[in-house]
Amino acid sequence: KALEKEPDVLEAHTVAGEDCLLLKVVADTPLGMSERLRRIRALGPQVTTRTTVVLQTHFEKPGPSPFPTEVPIKKAKRR
């Protein structure tokens, strides 16, 4: 829940393997990325990070859901 409140964390994915989560985080400078990582690590003593920086994106495209049987979660309307 705390990661959802971070405006620069665009995506969070549970992954198989050594890591638990894969986050898509944006920053405009290396110093900005360092600050975002510091905030993420401050979420708890068990939080560690490993960083990979994308230097160039060759393409992105939407695809079909790998989980077509899942029903999208609808957000409740605020009144």
Side-chain angles (χ1 to χ4, degrees):
K1 296 288 183 189
L3 289 171
E4 283 185 76
K5 295 177 183 174
E6 287 289 334
D8 300 315
V9 176
L10 304 181
E11 300 175 13
H13 306 273
T14 300
V15 295
E18 193 174 322
D19 300 317
C20 296
L21 288 174
L22 171 68
L23 304 178
K24 183 176 182 179
V25 179
V26 295
D28 55 352
T29 65
L31 187 61
M33 179 57 75
S34 181
E35 173 60 24
R36 283 147 185 87
L37 292 172
R38 186 196 62 74
R39 287 197 320 253
I40 290 169
R41 288 186 198 111
L43 294 174
Q46 75 285 2
V47 178
T48 60
T49 62
R50 183 184 342 194
T51 304
T52 301
V53 176
V54 175
L55 299 175
Q56 180 180 8
T57 299
H58 298 282
F59 67 87
E60 288 182 302
K61 60 182 178 180
S65 170
F67 309 105
T69 58
E70 286 189 6
V71 177
I73 298 171
K74 294 182 181 179
K75 294 191 176 194
K77 293 182 182 180
R78 292 185 176 187
R79 293 180 185 208

